[in-house]
Amino acid sequence: MQFHRRDFPQGFQFGVATSSYQIEGHAFGGAGQTHWDSFAATPGNVVRGEDGARACDHYHRWAEDLDLVAGLGADVYRFSTSWARVLPEGTGQPNPEGLDFYDRLVDGMLARGIKPAATLYHWELPQALADKGGWRNADMPDWFAEMTEVVMARIGDRVWSAAPINEPWCVGWLSHFDGAHAPGMRDIRATARAMHHVLVSHGRSIEVMRGLGMSNLGAVCNFEWAEPASDTPEDIAAATRYDAIYNRFFLGGLFRGDYPAEVLEGLAPHLPQGWQDDFATIRAPIDWLGVNYYTRKLIRHAEGAWPNYAEAPTRLPLTQMGWEIYPEGLRDILIRNARDYSGDLPIYVTENGMANPDRADRPDAERIAYLATHLDAVTAAIAAGAPVAGYFVWSLMDNYEWSLGYEKRFGLVHVDFDSLARTPKASYHALARWWRD
Ligand code: FCB
């Protein structure tokens, strides 16, 4: 399958994405402790106990990495700023080295003709704030507003776009209900609070950025296409609950000012007092919606406590993550999000890609096919009327895949984690050809 830039609407933006903790190396440049450091230091949480202390050493090798972005012919580079790097204690005294780093990085993108797409928070919560309850704490929106101000007062004049928070579902549910990400909690009350505070923090951050005169502001959420494993009413209800928690809760808050009934069934008793009054903040107008998409899940009913669902065995080929390859889900989620929530707002596919256990010298055929079929799904969504305006691959290079450590390789560029040598894979060269004309 071949693609050309001309197969997409005029002005369509192609890009690649990374995040700070996954690539920078948090041992460098005066960054503070993050809750990922303590999570990773706790046995059993992360494969081999790996952490982001060195990662890809992007902190020192950023210029080489931006050259790789430029070599792809990417229009946009989606990167994130680390809260713990700019405010090591979470609030108060900024770390000048941290701010200088993002300043250089943004200028480095502009010098190479790459548009900087900033995400303010991609999960490296300063430990000092985690110690105060992190996302459970109702002061979180104030702390987040302060961080937004500190970062964007410095780089906000030059970024092309900005989003406050990467994947609220992961910040809320995955980290506080499933316990799979830092802080590794399994507590329904913590979950309800985190899921609500993450949206209030988003809204406050948007207000701060508007106040600084910034534009092209959005929200980046993750989605999984969810289908019932069978057509029994129980499985159908379970898949609907899964879909509500994963795909509709955050969009409900952002675009409708309410939460789906299927989620309130379980979370309402645990939400903070007066949560209904926060929607004015949560609904601060945004300019685009970011959609991160990787896979579909088949869901079945499970006995026991709410939410009474479990993942059923998959039926399609899997990636190294064990995730089903299902490009139709990307097409359908883009169409549904536009129809039911975001309307005419531009949608960017802010992450899509696959992990593959590849070496630098392999043909990388699986990733090329994954990208081709998902780009095809984007064109199908556009043909069906979804206003998709860009597509960014996760990820520029192999990096720290959170609790799965360094062995899940999502990169277009291979990283040797001993020598830190970067080697573009065949998928990098394929995309560079597709994006050229
Ligand atoms: C997304 C995250 C990103 C990466 C990919 C594989 O959920 O935003 O950091 O881990 O999944």
Side-chain angles (χ1 to χ4, degrees):
M1 214 180 242
Q2 280 290 329
F3 279 92
H4 301 282
R5 197 174 264 280
R6 59 178 181 271
D7 299 331
F8 290 81
Q10 187 76 29
F12 194 87
Q13 303 291 314
F14 290 105
V16 282
T18 63
S19 90
S20 50
Y21 192 80
Q22 292 177 277
I23 64 168
E24 286 174 3
H26 265 62
F28 313 128
Q33 286 289 304
T34 83
H35 69 169
W36 267 96
D37 301 313
S38 47
F39 183 75
T42 311
N45 282 344
V46 177
V47 173
R48 291 179 298 271
E50 289 168 346
D51 62 26
R54 185 172 78 146
C56 305
D57 190 27
H58 173 75
Y59 186 75
H60 298 109
R61 296 165 196 247
W62 61 271
E64 176 188 353
D65 294 338
L66 292 185
D67 288 343
L68 287 164
V69 179
L72 260 174
D75 307 297
V76 175
Y77 176 47
R78 177 173 177 254
F79 69 108
S80 78
T81 54
S82 162
W83 192 337
R85 183 177 296 293
V86 298
L87 285 161
E89 293 302 314
T91 58
Q93 192 58 44
N95 168 28
E97 270 188 75
L99 288 168
D100 289 350
F101 172 69
Y102 295 116
D103 201 59
R104 282 198 297 279
L105 194 66
V106 166
D107 281 346
M109 289 177 229
L110 296 175
R112 290 166 179 78
I114 302 161
K115 300 185 177 79
T119 303
L120 279 159
Y121 181 75
H122 200 127
W123 308 349
E124 56 290 292
L125 188 69
Q127 186 61 53
L129 299 183
D131 291 343
K132 294 182 183 164
W135 289 101
R136 286 176 289 155
N137 193 315
D139 290 336
M140 196 60 175
D142 290 339
W143 301 333
F144 203 93
E146 180 181 337
M147 181 268 278
T148 302
E149 176 91 38
V150 168
V151 174
M152 289 307 176
R154 185 65 181 269
I155 62 171
D157 57 333
R158 280 156 295 144
V159 297
W160 170 72
S161 74
I165 293 160
N166 181 67
E167 301 188 348
W169 178 87
C170 292
V171 176
W173 192 268
L174 186 68
S175 307
H176 295 85
F177 195 85
D178 293 341
H181 275 193
M185 293 192 69
R186 300 201 63 246
D187 184 283
I188 195 168
R189 191 169 181 81
T191 305
R193 280 150 197 265
M195 285 173 71
H196 185 66
H197 293 150
V198 82
L199 283 176
V200 184
S201 302
H202 158 90
R204 287 285 303 283
S205 177
I206 294 286
E207 286 167 359
V208 169
M209 290 194 277
R210 293 277 180 223
L212 290 170
M214 293 174 62
S215 53
N216 206 17
L217 309 179
V220 174
C221 298
N222 53 323
F223 300 89
E224 282 184 356
W225 191 249
E227 286 178 10
S230 80
D231 49 18
T232 63
E234 290 80 11
D235 283 356
I236 292 172
T240 305
R241 267 191 309 280
Y242 185 90
D243 181 53
I245 292 167
Y246 205 116
N247 297 319
R248 293 190 276 114
F249 180 86
F250 302 99
L251 293 185
L254 292 168
F255 291 105
R256 295 184 177 177
D258 62 23
Y259 293 145
E262 300 92 336
V263 187
L264 290 176
E265 259 170 39
L267 295 192
H270 305 291
L271 283 166
Q273 281 259 315
W275 57 272
Q276 291 95 337
D277 303 332
D278 291 329
F279 285 116
T281 303
I282 293 172
R283 295 185 74 182
I286 51 177
D287 305 306
W288 51 269
L289 172 66
V291 168
N292 293 357
Y293 174 87
Y294 291 92
T295 191
R296 166 180 81 158
K297 288 279 162 60
L298 296 179
I299 303 296
R300 65 172 176 79
H301 175 77
E303 292 303 325
W306 184 91
N308 302 100
Y309 63 62
E311 288 176 22
T314 51
R315 293 179 193 150
L316 297 171
L318 307 178
T319 70
Q320 191 191 13
M321 299 290 276
W323 293 347
E324 235 187 24
I325 299 176
Y326 189 68
E328 297 83 354
L330 175 58
R331 176 197 64 202
D332 294 343
I333 205 80
L334 290 169
I335 293 170
R336 188 180 82 172
N337 285 349
R339 185 193 64 208
D340 294 352
Y341 294 97
S342 53
D344 294 337
L345 275 193
I347 299 180
Y348 293 92
V349 177
T350 32
E351 285 182 26
N352 179 239
M354 81 177 281
N356 207 18
D358 40 20
R359 300 197 319 266
D361 56 355
R362 279 196 32 186
D364 207 16
E366 299 88 350
R367 190 183 335 267
I368 294 173
Y370 183 100
L371 296 172
T373 51
H374 286 78
L375 278 166
D376 201 38
V378 170
T379 60
I382 294 172
V388 189
Y391 173 92
F392 310 156
V393 176
W394 184 271
S395 180
L396 169 66
M397 57 187 165
D398 297 337
N399 58 48
Y400 179 63
E401 182 45 39
W402 307 111
S403 55
L404 301 173
Y406 288 95
E407 79 188 9
K408 305 296 183 209
R409 293 181 173 272
F410 274 93
L412 299 173
V413 173
H414 179 272
V415 177
D416 176 327
F417 288 107
D418 294 322
S419 68
L420 294 175
R422 278 85 159 131
T423 312
K425 302 178 190 177
S427 52
Y428 175 99
H429 297 297
L431 278 184
R433 277 195 307 278
W434 296 348
W435 291 354
R436 203 166 33 215
D437 49 20

